[in-house]
């Protein structure tokens, strides 16, 4: 990538995707800060994990209160009494309406305050699990809207947009952080760090991608 190295904000949950994006951003920008949103998600460990990874990398970490989402959008990520499930023809119970719209909007407002022109997010259309706010069209539309709203020129970066989980693991490997991402991140819907519970949809997707990447790596030797 050839953009001039500047300052970036990474939307950061401490999961596999956003952590891979953090290391991608550290390769592409002179200065990087992270922002995590507290929307009273089921597993507070997510916030702790994000803060720990940011500290370990010497990156400034912002935590913003988005508890209004908990009030407005009950779902499996914010309610213990809602099961994690994905019924055919319906949005997954883990879908949080408006989450990426709000997160990226507030991340860009933060970027403006700290003098950053770049916002990095780990959304992905290839493995988007049916979430409409992970689609490329949405990101491009929001980028235009944010720039119009603040009369500025921010860039929303989505380095994982067209990668499946196998390719996301390959990117982490290329960045030299595969083990860091595997051991230190929290992707599991049941709040188990590292390789996770092995049973929820997020863990299954993560494990399958890792197995495919490692198998392909072994074959290429």
């Amino acid at each position: 990538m050839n953009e001039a190295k500047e300052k970036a904000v990474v939307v950061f949950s401490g999961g596999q995707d956003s952590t891979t994006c953090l290391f991608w951003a550290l390769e592409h920008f002179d200065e990087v800060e992270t922002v995590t949103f507290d929307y009273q998600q089921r597993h507070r460990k997510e916030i702790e994990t994000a803060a720990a990874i940011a500290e370990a990398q010497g990156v400034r970490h912002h935590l913003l209160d988005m508890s209004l989402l908990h009030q407005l959008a009950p779902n499996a990520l914010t309610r213990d009494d809602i099961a994690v499930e994905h019924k055919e023809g319906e949005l997954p119970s883990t879908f949080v309406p408006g989450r990426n719209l709000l997160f990226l909007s507030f991340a860009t407002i933060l970027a403006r305050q700290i003098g950053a022109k770049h916002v990095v997010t780990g959304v992905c259309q290839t493995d988007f699990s049916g979430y409409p706010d992970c689609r490329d069209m949405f990101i491009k539309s929001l980028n235009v809207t944010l720039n119009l709203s603040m009369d500025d020129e921010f860039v929303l970066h989505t380095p994982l947009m067209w990668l499946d989980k196998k390719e996301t693991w390959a990117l982490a490997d290329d960045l030299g952080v595969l083990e860091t991402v595997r051991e230190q991140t929290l992707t599991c819907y049941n709040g188990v760090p590292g390789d996770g519970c092995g049973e929820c949809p997020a863990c299954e997707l993560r494990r399958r991608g890792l197995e495919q990447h490692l198998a392909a790596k072994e074959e290429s030797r």
Side-chain angles (χ1 to χ4, degrees):
M1 210 165 174
N2 297 318
E3 80 268 13
K5 290 195 172 185
E6 300 176 14
K7 189 172 185 177
V9 173
V10 178
V11 178
F12 194 53
S13 70
Q16 174 191 357
D17 293 344
S18 65
T19 302
T20 302
C21 285
L22 169 60
F23 286 106
W24 178 89
L26 289 168
E27 287 284 320
H28 285 80
F29 301 101
D30 284 332
E31 189 175 350
V32 175
E33 298 188 12
T34 59
V35 59
T36 300
F37 298 96
D38 180 357
Y39 57 103
Q40 297 183 21
Q41 50 268 61
R42 183 189 293 191
H43 303 296
R44 306 295 295 175
K45 182 72 174 174
E46 178 181 304
I47 295 173
E48 297 169 8
T49 299
I53 294 172
E55 182 179 9
Q57 299 306 316
V59 173
R60 185 180 180 189
H61 180 243
H62 303 266
L63 179 63
L64 298 185
D65 180 5
M66 296 290 290
S67 55
L68 185 62
L69 263 182
H70 185 275
Q71 177 183 346
L72 288 176
N75 63 88
L77 295 187
T78 61
R79 299 287 196 275
D80 290 329
D81 58 346
I82 299 178
V84 175
E85 57 185 2
H86 188 179
K87 297 178 181 178
E88 188 173 352
E90 298 180 8
L91 285 169
S93 64
T94 51
F95 174 61
V96 184
R99 180 171 60 170
N100 285 338
L101 171 65
L102 292 174
F103 284 6
L104 289 167
S105 296
F106 278 89
T108 306
I109 294 169
L110 173 65
R112 187 176 189 275
Q113 299 307 311
I114 65 174
K117 292 295 186 182
H118 304 272
V119 176
V120 183
T121 176
V123 297
C124 169
Q125 185 160 319
T126 306
D127 279 330
F128 78 130
S129 301
Y131 296 177
D133 59 356
C134 288
R135 295 177 295 184
D136 187 58
M137 182 181 297
F138 163 71
I139 298 296
K140 285 184 167 60
S141 172
L142 181 60
N143 201 156
V144 172
T145 299
L146 288 169
N147 287 349
L148 288 172
S149 73
M150 289 184 273
D151 193 23
D152 213 324
E153 295 183 3
F154 299 100
V155 180
L156 300 185
H157 296 268
T158 55
L160 310 184
M161 180 59 74
W162 305 112
L163 305 184
D164 59 22
K165 274 294 180 284
K166 172 187 173 183
E167 293 165 327
T168 299
W169 280 112
L171 175 58
D173 210 353
D174 289 342
L175 292 167
V177 295
L178 186 144
E179 292 305 318
T180 298
V181 172
R182 182 174 183 179
E183 296 171 3
Q184 298 182 16
T185 61
L186 173 59
T187 303
C188 176
Y189 287 149
N190 290 316
V192 181
D195 289 335
C197 71
E199 299 177 357
C200 73
C203 284
E204 290 178 359
L205 190 63
R206 173 178 165 132
R207 183 188 67 246
R208 185 166 60 248
L210 178 59
E211 290 173 350
Q212 291 171 344
H213 167 62
L214 294 177
K217 187 176 179 180
E218 186 64 30
E219 288 178 4
S220 66
R221 288 179 177 174

